[in-house]
Amino acid sequence: MTMRSAMTLSRSIGFADLVGTRTRTRSATDSVNAKIEVRNFSFFYGNFKAINTVSMDIPANHVTAIIGPSGCGKSTLLRAINRMHDATIGAHAEGEMRFDGVNVYDPAVDSVLLRRRVGMVFQRPNPFQLTIFDNVAYGLRVNGMRDKKLIAQKVEESLKRAALWDEVKDRLFKSLGTALSGGQQQRLCIARAIASDPEVILMDEPCSALDPIASLKIEDLIDDLRDQFTIVIVTHNMQQAARVSDMTAFMLMNRATRAGELIEFDQTDKMFTAPSDQRTEDYISGQFG
Amino acid sequence: MRHRYARQLQNVHDDLLRIGSRVEHGLADAMRALTTADAELATNVVAGDREIDRTHVAIDEQIFELIATQQPVASDLRTLLATSAIASELERAGDYAKGIAKRVTVLLNQTPIVPIPATIGRMGELSHQMLTQSLDAFVKRDIAVARGLADIDAQVDDLEDEANAQIRDMIKHDVATLESGLILLEITYMLERLADRTTNIGERVIFMINNTTEALNQ
């Protein structure tokens, strides 16, 4: 890689922000379009191996769904992308989880800065006990933004991108985020996540606490966001995975080792019409799980 | 395991084999009526086609409901789509058997009585064999068996040419056989089309098994 292209990539991902002046490396075999490259990645809780040597390329500006039965390690894998397990005692990783070519488990990577680039939306909407405005502005202020006009602009823009603006614009400073409906709360959390301009949004069962109509709104929103963000979603709802994602990864727990393994990773239409592995076929057809 | 879903899939499968069996019998009876000049048997074939039509409608209704309520995917979805298409092919094949039977009843009222060329009998045997083989390919999910239909179809095409030449010769020699000859030409046409329908079934079976499209009737 030439110095010029390395610098361009560094700027585009804020690489310098993540690891200071450290030089990044990237092999010739790296996939050009992969935003996240998972390479022989294993994850442990103490001595227990929760994920065993997963390798996959998560493409940029696409929606990638991770499906599989309970206990297969899909949420562990998702959370490993932005090092959400850092605070878990004994949790550690082997292999590589590369974000734009940078292994996020490199000791030089600052996890706080990483999470600014890789946002997260959780299973249950978790708005703060703050006004709708402050919920979205919170992350901006924490990240050092002081210009009130700019903050107001970003809040409006984020709420619009999260398809919530029209429903809340008249009560931004009057209502608490927690006073919104479940579906609105989840879209507020998405607005909060995208306010700090992440490149990747991780979604851990974002619709499991929502009714079908609110779920479909979130799905529409995911569809709208796919051009601007790389989205990785864990879902128990296979039809939701089929509806919203471009790529689907199927994980399964190895009965002998109890570790989650990647069984198949392919384009979603292929996975749901003609999967290559019989275990995928059995799972998506409801034969088990 | 989704028990209700599995039972519904099995019901559709069984109904398809039921319609297939009826069409096999209809064709066999229509050809027997032709070669043995059995007007009653021909009438029975015509009447039996209604049951084939009813079963075809029932299969499509079941598949429609299954897709709407169970969201089948992957091989289940391919199987259901293939089953719906195969049911339509069988329904059309049943129509050809009925068409042959109807023409037998007309033929039996013609004078002079004309001999039935052996090539037509052979066409009937091969078409029946293809029908059975296409259903075997479906049940056994066997691509080789499905592909084997192409060779037999080519034989049926050759036999049709041969039979039609014989019928034309017959008419040339005795113009009084014109009406009967025209009916026999219609019968050879229907047998050839019925054979083509079985190759369509074979193509659907291949799609069902490996998600690829192949032409068996070039």
Side-chain angles (χ1 to χ4, degrees):
Chain A
M1 176 176 290
T2 65
M3 181 60 74
R4 184 173 173 185
S5 60
M7 286 174 67
T8 306
L9 279 167
S10 297
R11 270 202 304 276
S12 68
I13 65 162
F15 179 72
D17 293 339
L18 289 180
V19 296
T21 56
R22 205 179 154 88
T23 307
R24 70 186 292 274
T25 56
R26 188 167 182 168
S27 77
T29 55
D30 286 347
S31 172
V32 174
N33 294 321
K35 189 72 178 174
I36 299 162
E37 298 152 288
V38 188
R39 289 287 176 276
N40 297 318
F41 187 80
S42 299
F43 199 85
F44 301 80
Y45 295 109
N47 292 327
F48 173 66
K49 190 186 240 184
I51 299 175
N52 186 30
T53 55
V54 168
S55 292
M56 61 195 279
D57 284 350
I58 296 174
N61 297 106
H62 286 72
V63 180
T64 297
I66 306 175
I67 61 170
S70 298
C72 71
K74 55 190 187 295
S75 285
T76 296
L77 179 64
L78 184 86
R79 288 157 182 258
I81 294 173
N82 72 348
R83 288 178 40 181
M84 291 287 290
H85 305 289
D86 277 7
T88 307
I89 294 168
H92 63 283
E94 283 179 4
E96 287 189 307
M97 176 73 72
R98 295 188 214 149
F99 171 48
D100 270 346
V102 180
N103 181 15
V104 303
Y105 285 87
D106 186 317
V109 170
D110 181 332
S111 62
V112 174
L113 297 174
L114 169 70
R115 285 174 206 141
R116 203 178 283 170
R117 303 284 171 190
V118 184
M120 182 96 189
V121 175
F122 294 91
Q123 188 170 352
R124 298 198 73 81
N126 55 350
F128 305 134
Q129 283 280 352
L130 299 170
T131 64
I132 293 166
F133 184 93
D134 285 339
N135 258 280
V136 183
Y138 184 86
L140 301 171
R141 291 181 182 132
V142 166
N143 288 330
M145 193 179 283
R146 290 289 172 263
D147 184 334
K148 287 185 178 175
K149 201 172 167 185
L150 191 59
I151 288 174
Q153 270 178 12
K154 291 292 287 183
V155 168
E156 179 176 341
E157 179 192 316
S158 302
L159 286 168
K160 281 180 175 168
R161 286 162 100 183
L164 188 59
W165 175 253
D166 288 342
E167 294 166 50
V168 301
K169 63 184 176 190
D170 298 328
R171 46 179 170 144
L172 288 177
F173 303 97
K174 294 179 208 158
S175 298
L176 293 177
T178 47
L180 296 171
S181 71
Q184 288 172 326
Q185 286 186 23
Q186 194 62 303
R187 278 180 283 147
L188 180 65
C189 293
I190 291 172
R192 190 174 65 195
I194 62 183
S196 55
D197 290 326
E199 290 155 55
V200 177
I201 304 176
L202 308 177
M203 297 186 171
D204 192 359
E205 299 260 12
C207 301
S208 64
L210 306 181
D211 65 53
I213 302 296
S215 296
L216 288 174
K217 280 190 180 175
I218 298 288
E219 289 180 20
D220 280 345
L221 176 57
I222 290 171
D223 192 50
D224 291 340
L225 296 176
R226 78 173 71 219
D227 291 338
Q228 307 150 50
F229 303 98
T230 299
I231 298 174
V232 188
I233 178 172
V234 161
T235 176
H236 266 113
N237 183 335
M238 281 179 284
Q239 290 308 315
Q240 181 173 71
R243 284 192 296 266
V244 304
S245 70
D246 305 295
M247 302 290 293
T248 296
F250 170 56
M251 293 183 69
L252 193 58
M253 183 175 69
N254 183 306
R255 282 187 183 173
T257 64
R258 315 294 290 174
E261 294 176 349
L262 179 67
I263 302 301
E264 190 170 352
F265 179 54
D266 211 328
Q267 293 184 5
T268 296
D269 56 354
K270 167 88 165 40
M271 291 285 278
F272 282 88
T273 56
S276 302
D277 194 292
Q278 186 60 42
R279 291 167 293 182
T280 311
E281 169 96 37
D282 290 345
Y283 180 70
I284 63 172
S285 304
Q287 304 294 320
F288 70 86
Chain B
M1 186 65 190
R2 301 156 67 185
H3 295 292
R4 179 161 183 263
Y5 176 49
R7 198 169 57 244
Q8 288 173 312
L9 290 175
Q10 188 62 45
N11 286 345
V12 171
H13 182 269
D14 292 349
D15 277 354
L16 187 78
L17 297 188
R18 202 165 291 130
I19 196 175
S21 174
R22 285 184 187 278
V23 176
E24 282 182 296
H25 279 104
L27 175 61
D29 287 349
M31 290 308 293
R32 196 176 310 118
L34 175 67
T35 52
T36 63
D38 188 337
E40 189 182 346
L41 188 56
T43 307
N44 289 344
V45 172
V46 175
D49 187 61
R50 282 195 287 275
E51 184 57 31
I52 291 172
D53 291 346
R54 273 196 291 272
T55 310
H56 172 227
V57 171
I59 286 173
D60 265 356
E61 284 176 353
Q62 287 178 77
I63 291 172
F64 185 47
E65 184 190 329
L66 262 165
I67 290 173
T69 59
Q70 299 284 7
Q71 289 93 42
V73 293
S75 71
D76 286 347
L77 181 58
R78 296 202 307 276
T79 299
L80 285 175
L81 294 178
T83 302
S84 176
I86 291 170
S88 295
E89 299 292 352
L90 288 172
E91 190 272 330
R92 293 296 298 146
D95 284 348
Y96 287 126
K98 179 178 75 173
I100 292 168
K102 275 185 175 175
R103 279 152 187 80
V104 169
T105 58
V106 178
L107 189 66
L108 293 178
N109 289 324
Q110 301 294 319
T111 51
I113 300 289
V114 297
I116 308 300
T119 42
I120 295 184
R122 182 66 186 140
M123 280 183 78
E125 287 169 13
L126 287 182
S127 300
H128 191 272
Q129 180 187 332
M130 291 176 74
L131 195 54
T132 304
Q133 187 165 326
S134 67
L135 291 168
D136 276 352
F138 174 76
V139 172
K140 295 172 184 165
R141 303 178 71 85
D142 191 324
I143 289 179
V145 172
R147 286 184 179 139
L149 291 163
D151 285 343
I152 312 176
D153 188 52
Q155 293 177 48
V156 172
D157 290 348
D158 291 344
L159 282 169
E160 185 194 18
D161 293 342
E162 198 179 322
N164 289 353
Q166 290 168 346
I167 295 163
R168 283 196 296 272
D169 282 348
M170 178 184 78
I171 297 169
K172 280 181 200 163
H173 279 99
D174 181 0
V175 76
T177 63
L178 177 63
E179 286 297 326
S180 298
L182 290 176
I183 292 169
L184 290 177
L185 287 173
E186 285 185 301
I187 290 175
T188 60
Y189 169 76
M190 283 188 272
L191 285 171
E192 191 275 330
R193 291 299 301 139
L194 193 148
D196 283 349
R197 295 284 171 180
T198 70
T199 62
N200 292 349
I201 294 173
E203 290 168 2
R204 297 295 179 169
V205 169
I206 292 170
F207 164 77
M208 174 180 84
I209 296 166
N210 68 3
N211 196 41
T212 58
T213 305
E214 270 183 41
L216 295 179
N217 183 9
Q218 299 286 4

